[in-house]
Amino acid sequence: MTIHSLDTKRASRSAESRVAAQNWRALVAELNAHGCAVMPGLLSLDECAEIAALYPHEEHFRSHVVMARHGFGKGEYRYFRYPLPDLIEGLRTALYPRLAGVANDWNEKMGAALRYPADHAAFLKRCHDEGQTKPTPLLLQYGPGDFNCLHQDLYGALAFPLQVAILLSEPGEDFTGGEFVLTEQRPRMQSRAEVVSLKRGDAVIFAVHNRPVQGTKGYYRVNLRHGVSRLRSGRRHTVGIIFHDAR
Protein backbone atom coordinates (compact mmCIF):
# COMPACT_ATOMS: atom_id res chain seq x y z
CA MET A 1 0.00 0.00 0.00
CA THR A 2 1.51 3.34 -1.05
CA ILE A 3 0.86 6.79 0.31
CA HIS A 4 -0.74 7.98 -2.93
CA SER A 5 -2.28 4.76 -4.23
CA LEU A 6 -3.66 4.52 -7.75
CA ASP A 7 -6.52 2.45 -6.30
CA THR A 8 -8.18 4.44 -3.52
CA LYS A 9 -10.72 1.67 -2.85
CA ARG A 10 -7.89 -0.82 -2.38
CA ALA A 11 -6.16 1.58 0.00
CA SER A 12 -9.39 1.94 1.97
CA ARG A 13 -9.83 -1.83 2.24
CA SER A 14 -6.24 -2.21 3.48
CA ALA A 15 -6.82 0.43 6.17
CA GLU A 16 -10.06 -1.21 7.26
CA SER A 17 -8.46 -4.65 7.53
CA ARG A 18 -5.50 -3.50 9.64
CA VAL A 19 -7.77 -1.46 11.93
CA ALA A 20 -10.15 -4.42 12.31
CA ALA A 21 -7.20 -6.68 13.20
CA GLN A 22 -6.49 -4.68 16.36
CA ASN A 23 -7.78 -5.97 19.73
CA TRP A 24 -10.56 -3.45 20.15
CA ARG A 25 -11.95 -4.95 23.36
CA ALA A 26 -8.58 -4.36 25.03
CA LEU A 27 -8.13 -0.93 23.40
CA VAL A 28 -11.51 0.32 24.61
CA ALA A 29 -10.78 -0.98 28.12
CA GLU A 30 -7.46 0.93 28.12
CA LEU A 31 -9.13 4.11 26.87
CA ASN A 32 -11.77 3.91 29.57
CA ALA A 33 -9.22 3.19 32.30
CA HIS A 34 -6.38 5.53 31.31
CA GLY A 35 -7.50 7.88 28.51
CA CYS A 36 -5.05 6.35 26.03
CA ALA A 37 -4.28 3.05 24.33
CA VAL A 38 -1.56 1.78 21.97
CA MET A 39 -2.20 0.07 18.63
CA PRO A 40 1.02 -1.85 17.88
CA GLY A 41 2.33 -2.07 14.33
CA LEU A 42 -0.40 -0.06 12.65
CA LEU A 43 2.05 0.99 9.91
CA SER A 44 4.89 -0.94 8.31
CA LEU A 45 8.45 0.37 8.41
CA ASP A 46 8.28 1.23 4.70
CA GLU A 47 5.02 3.16 5.21
CA CYS A 48 6.58 5.09 8.09
CA ALA A 49 9.55 6.06 5.92
CA GLU A 50 7.30 7.02 3.01
CA ILE A 51 5.11 9.32 5.12
CA ALA A 52 8.10 10.96 6.84
CA ALA A 53 9.68 11.58 3.43
CA LEU A 54 6.70 13.77 2.47
CA TYR A 55 7.71 16.47 4.95
CA PRO A 56 9.94 18.62 2.68
CA HIS A 57 7.44 18.57 -0.20
CA GLU A 58 5.18 21.57 0.28
CA GLU A 59 2.66 20.49 -2.35
CA HIS A 60 1.20 17.97 0.12
CA PHE A 61 0.44 20.59 2.80
CA ARG A 62 -1.80 23.62 3.38
CA SER A 63 0.30 25.31 6.09
CA HIS A 64 3.58 25.15 8.00
CA VAL A 65 3.87 25.96 11.72
CA VAL A 66 7.15 26.67 13.53
CA MET A 67 6.25 26.06 17.18
CA ALA A 68 8.67 28.55 18.75
CA ARG A 69 7.02 31.45 16.90
CA HIS A 70 3.74 30.78 18.73
CA GLY A 71 4.99 29.59 22.12
CA PHE A 72 3.93 26.01 21.37
CA GLY A 73 7.38 24.56 22.09
CA LYS A 74 10.22 23.86 19.66
CA GLY A 75 9.94 21.88 16.46
CA GLU A 76 7.59 22.25 13.52
CA TYR A 77 4.67 20.65 11.74
CA ARG A 78 2.70 20.83 8.51
CA TYR A 79 -1.03 20.35 8.01
CA PHE A 80 -1.96 18.18 5.04
CA ARG A 81 -4.20 19.64 2.36
CA TYR A 82 -7.20 17.90 0.83
CA PRO A 83 -7.21 15.39 -0.75
CA LEU A 84 -5.26 13.62 1.98
CA PRO A 85 -2.76 10.92 1.06
CA ASP A 86 -4.71 7.68 0.51
CA LEU A 87 -3.09 5.87 3.44
CA ILE A 88 -3.93 8.65 5.90
CA GLU A 89 -7.41 9.16 4.49
CA GLY A 90 -8.07 5.42 4.69
CA LEU A 91 -6.95 5.18 8.30
CA ARG A 92 -8.94 8.28 9.30
CA THR A 93 -12.09 6.80 7.76
CA ALA A 94 -11.51 3.30 9.19
CA LEU A 95 -10.62 4.40 12.73
CA TYR A 96 -13.47 6.86 13.20
CA PRO A 97 -16.41 4.39 13.51
CA ARG A 98 -14.53 2.37 16.15
CA LEU A 99 -13.90 5.51 18.18
CA ALA A 100 -17.33 7.09 17.69
CA GLY A 101 -18.83 4.43 19.94
CA VAL A 102 -16.34 5.30 22.68
CA ALA A 103 -16.99 9.02 22.19
CA ASN A 104 -20.75 8.58 22.48
CA ASP A 105 -20.39 6.42 25.58
CA TRP A 106 -18.16 9.05 27.18
CA ASN A 107 -20.60 11.86 26.41
CA GLU A 108 -23.46 9.87 27.89
CA LYS A 109 -21.48 9.28 31.09
CA MET A 110 -20.55 12.97 31.32
CA GLY A 111 -24.12 14.13 30.70
CA ALA A 112 -23.27 15.76 27.35
CA ALA A 113 -26.08 15.81 24.79
CA LEU A 114 -23.87 15.68 21.68
CA ARG A 115 -23.71 12.36 19.81
CA TYR A 116 -21.40 11.52 16.91
CA PRO A 117 -22.59 9.78 13.72
CA ALA A 118 -21.15 6.35 12.95
CA ASP A 119 -19.86 7.48 9.55
CA HIS A 120 -16.91 9.87 9.30
CA ALA A 121 -18.24 11.59 6.18
CA ALA A 122 -21.40 12.50 8.10
CA PHE A 123 -19.31 13.94 10.93
CA LEU A 124 -17.20 15.99 8.52
CA LYS A 125 -20.40 17.40 7.03
CA ARG A 126 -21.33 18.63 10.52
CA CYS A 127 -17.89 20.24 10.79
CA HIS A 128 -18.27 21.96 7.43
CA ASP A 129 -21.76 23.16 8.35
CA GLU A 130 -20.11 24.83 11.39
CA GLY A 131 -17.57 26.54 9.14
CA GLN A 132 -14.78 24.07 10.01
CA THR A 133 -13.50 23.10 6.56
CA LYS A 134 -9.70 22.92 6.86
CA PRO A 135 -8.12 19.45 7.14
CA THR A 136 -6.33 18.77 10.42
CA PRO A 137 -4.17 15.63 9.88
CA LEU A 138 -0.58 16.75 10.27
CA LEU A 139 3.04 15.67 10.04
CA LEU A 140 5.36 16.74 12.87
CA GLN A 141 9.15 16.99 12.85
CA TYR A 142 11.44 17.34 15.89
CA GLY A 143 15.21 17.75 16.17
CA PRO A 144 17.61 17.90 19.15
CA GLY A 145 16.21 20.07 21.94
CA ASP A 146 12.72 20.23 20.42
CA PHE A 147 9.55 19.56 22.43
CA ASN A 148 5.80 20.10 22.24
CA CYS A 149 4.09 21.92 25.09
CA LEU A 150 1.03 20.35 26.69
CA HIS A 151 -2.03 21.32 24.65
CA GLN A 152 -5.43 20.31 23.25
CA ASP A 153 -6.21 20.12 19.52
CA LEU A 154 -9.70 21.64 19.36
CA TYR A 155 -9.72 23.94 16.28
CA GLY A 156 -13.35 25.01 16.60
CA ALA A 157 -16.65 24.58 18.41
CA LEU A 158 -17.06 21.01 17.14
CA ALA A 159 -14.25 18.68 18.22
CA PHE A 160 -14.11 14.89 18.22
CA PRO A 161 -12.90 13.77 21.67
CA LEU A 162 -10.29 11.23 20.53
CA GLN A 163 -7.35 11.40 18.16
CA VAL A 164 -4.48 9.19 16.99
CA ALA A 165 -0.73 9.79 16.67
CA ILE A 166 1.54 7.36 14.83
CA LEU A 167 5.28 7.33 15.49
CA LEU A 168 7.27 7.20 12.23
CA SER A 169 10.78 7.04 13.73
CA GLU A 170 12.50 4.37 15.84
CA PRO A 171 13.35 5.30 19.46
CA GLY A 172 16.97 4.58 20.33
CA GLU A 173 17.97 4.50 16.66
CA ASP A 174 16.55 7.59 14.98
CA PHE A 175 16.21 9.66 18.15
CA THR A 176 16.43 9.63 21.95
CA GLY A 177 14.08 11.35 24.38
CA GLY A 178 10.91 12.68 22.78
CA GLU A 179 8.35 10.63 24.73
CA PHE A 180 4.63 11.12 24.20
CA VAL A 181 3.14 12.56 27.41
CA LEU A 182 -0.51 12.79 28.48
CA THR A 183 -1.60 14.67 31.60
CA GLU A 184 -4.94 14.42 33.37
CA GLN A 185 -6.35 16.97 35.81
CA ARG A 186 -9.00 15.63 38.18
CA PRO A 187 -11.10 18.02 40.29
CA ARG A 188 -9.35 19.09 43.51
CA MET A 189 -6.39 16.78 42.78
CA GLN A 190 -2.89 17.23 41.40
CA SER A 191 -2.33 16.35 37.73
CA ARG A 192 -1.53 12.77 36.74
CA ALA A 193 1.02 12.12 33.96
CA GLU A 194 1.06 9.16 31.56
CA VAL A 195 4.20 8.54 29.47
CA VAL A 196 3.43 6.30 26.46
CA SER A 197 6.21 4.12 25.05
CA LEU A 198 5.93 3.62 21.29
CA LYS A 199 7.94 1.86 18.60
CA ARG A 200 8.09 2.91 14.96
CA GLY A 201 4.73 2.13 13.35
CA ASP A 202 2.82 2.07 16.66
CA ALA A 203 -0.14 4.39 17.15
CA VAL A 204 -1.52 5.89 20.33
CA ILE A 205 -5.20 6.75 20.67
CA PHE A 206 -5.82 9.41 23.30
CA ALA A 207 -8.41 11.77 24.69
CA VAL A 208 -8.26 15.27 23.21
CA HIS A 209 -10.01 17.28 25.91
CA ASN A 210 -12.25 15.54 28.48
CA ARG A 211 -13.16 12.01 29.52
CA PRO A 212 -15.33 10.46 32.24
CA VAL A 213 -13.91 8.81 35.36
CA GLN A 214 -15.93 6.66 37.76
CA GLY A 215 -16.19 8.17 41.23
CA THR A 216 -18.04 7.19 44.40
CA LYS A 217 -21.07 9.26 43.31
CA GLY A 218 -21.05 8.41 39.62
CA TYR A 219 -18.98 9.68 36.72
CA TYR A 220 -17.17 13.00 36.72
CA ARG A 221 -15.27 14.87 34.01
CA VAL A 222 -11.46 15.16 33.87
CA ASN A 223 -9.41 17.46 31.67
CA LEU A 224 -6.51 16.17 29.54
CA ARG A 225 -3.59 17.67 27.63
CA HIS A 226 -0.86 16.03 25.59
CA GLY A 227 2.63 16.87 24.41
CA VAL A 228 6.12 15.53 23.65
CA SER A 229 9.09 15.68 26.00
CA ARG A 230 12.45 17.16 24.94
CA LEU A 231 14.29 15.33 22.18
CA ARG A 232 17.84 14.51 23.32
CA SER A 233 19.25 13.60 19.91
CA GLY A 234 18.33 12.66 16.35
CA ARG A 235 15.13 13.38 14.46
CA ARG A 236 11.57 12.31 15.24
CA HIS A 237 8.58 12.30 12.86
CA THR A 238 4.98 11.68 13.84
CA VAL A 239 1.74 11.77 11.88
CA GLY A 240 -1.34 12.98 13.72
CA ILE A 241 -4.85 11.90 12.69
CA ILE A 242 -7.44 14.36 13.97
CA PHE A 243 -11.03 13.57 13.05
CA HIS A 244 -12.60 17.05 13.10
CA ASP A 245 -11.71 19.77 10.63
CA ALA A 246 -10.59 23.28 11.59
CA ARG A 247 -12.18 26.69 11.23
Side-chain angles (χ1 to χ4, degrees), residues 4-185:
H4 287 284
S5 171
L6 294 177
D7 185 348
T8 301
K9 290 184 178 179
R10 184 179 178 185
S12 177
R13 288 194 298 269
S14 176
E16 289 171 2
S17 64
R18 71 178 76 191
V19 168
Q22 295 287 324
N23 184 346
W24 282 96
R25 184 185 296 272
L27 289 172
V28 171
E30 284 287 301
L31 285 170
N32 286 331
H34 306 295
C36 62
V38 174
M39 293 185 287
L42 187 65
L43 297 183
S44 71
L45 301 188
D46 286 345
E47 288 167 343
C48 289
E50 192 173 354
I51 296 174
L54 295 177
Y55 195 85
H57 302 286
E58 296 184 3
E59 65 270 21
H60 298 294
F61 305 97
R62 66 173 177 86
S63 66
H64 177 204
V65 177
V66 177
M67 296 186 202
R69 294 176 184 170
H70 306 277
F72 296 163
K74 289 183 65 180
E76 56 185 71
Y77 53 88
R78 296 179 186 267
Y79 288 105
F80 286 99
R81 66 171 71 249
Y82 279 134
L84 301 175
D86 287 340
L87 175 55
I88 295 170
E89 175 67 25
L91 288 172
R92 197 185 192 204
T93 301
L95 285 164
Y96 174 86
R98 303 275 179 171
L99 300 178
V102 177
N104 286 331
D105 177 60
W106 283 7
N107 274 7
E108 182 177 356
K109 289 174 178 175
M110 292 187 294
L114 180 63
R115 296 293 181 270
Y116 301 93
D119 179 74
H120 189 237
F123 177 64
L124 283 183
K125 184 179 184 305
R126 286 191 188 179
C127 290
H128 297 174
D129 289 345
E130 291 285 337
Q132 297 176 211
T133 59
K134 297 177 181 178
T136 48
L138 69 165
L139 185 56
L140 302 100
Q141 177 174 274
Y142 302 87
D146 290 351
F147 62 94
N148 198 345
C149 294
L150 294 170
H151 65 283
Q152 299 168 327
D153 296 313
L154 298 178
Y155 299 115
L158 187 59
F160 191 72
L162 292 149
Q163 70 186 67
V164 174
I166 310 171
L167 184 62
L168 306 178
S169 309
E170 184 62 35
E173 294 182 12
D174 299 323
F175 70 95
T176 60
E179 295 88 357
F180 178 85
V181 180
L182 188 71
T183 64
E184 183 175 273
Q185 178 60 59

